[in-house]
Amino acid sequence: QVHFVESGGGLVQAGGSLKLSCVAQRRITSTFNPETWGWYRQGTGKQRELVASIRPEGDTNYADSVKGRFTISKYNARKTVYLQMNSLKPEDTALYYCNTVPYTDNWGQGTQVTVSS
């Protein structure tokens, strides 16, 4: 069972940047690398969506809405996944979560990102 702890959110003006972090904590020690990890977000009144993912070999994929602005990366030794978000827009405002792809039911608390216009 994996537990996710997200951090790094905050309030930022449009055009600003934030870097989110997610630590994957396992009850049983196992390798971190063999899974695809993703960042998801859910805005108020919207469905949760996958915005970025990173495969074990490092290949990345992004939703069209964030392509060119967000960068996902990971540090296997620390079991940590990052999301660098640049050129933020008000429509990026959401609660951001990390999870595997496909996701498990073990969602963390998420980290709130609010972008003001």
Side-chain angles (χ1 to χ4, degrees):
Q1 191 174 15
V2 181
H3 299 272
F4 304 96
V5 181
E6 301 94 347
S7 63
L11 173 63
V12 64
Q13 288 188 329
S17 299
L18 284 172
K19 186 173 184 177
L20 308 184
S21 299
C22 170
V23 178
Q25 300 173 339
R26 290 184 183 271
R27 181 169 295 180
I28 299 174
T29 300
S30 60
T31 55
F32 171 75
N33 192 46
E35 294 168 307
T36 296
W37 298 89
W39 279 97
Y40 300 76
R41 69 184 182 188
Q42 186 168 20
T44 303
K46 299 181 180 180
Q47 287 190 329
R48 190 172 293 171
E49 62 173 338
L50 175 66
V51 296
S53 61
I54 185 165
R55 295 176 59 84
E57 62 271 27
D59 293 346
T60 58
N61 196 40
Y62 299 92
D64 288 341
S65 59
V66 306
K67 200 171 293 184
R69 300 187 298 121
F70 290 10
T71 303
I72 188 171
S73 61
K74 60 178 179 171
Y75 191 160
N76 291 335
R78 295 180 178 174
K79 299 183 180 180
T80 303
V81 181
Y82 303 98
L83 186 67
Q84 177 67 47
M85 305 186 297
N86 298 327
S87 303
L88 283 162
K89 304 175 180 180
E91 51 263 44
D92 294 319
T93 295
L95 194 56
Y96 284 72
Y97 304 87
C98 69
N99 206 320
T100 55
V101 180
Y103 58 79
T104 71
D105 291 332
N106 299 319
W107 295 97
Q109 296 296 310
T111 186
Q112 178 68 39
V113 172
T114 303
V115 185
S116 62
S117 57

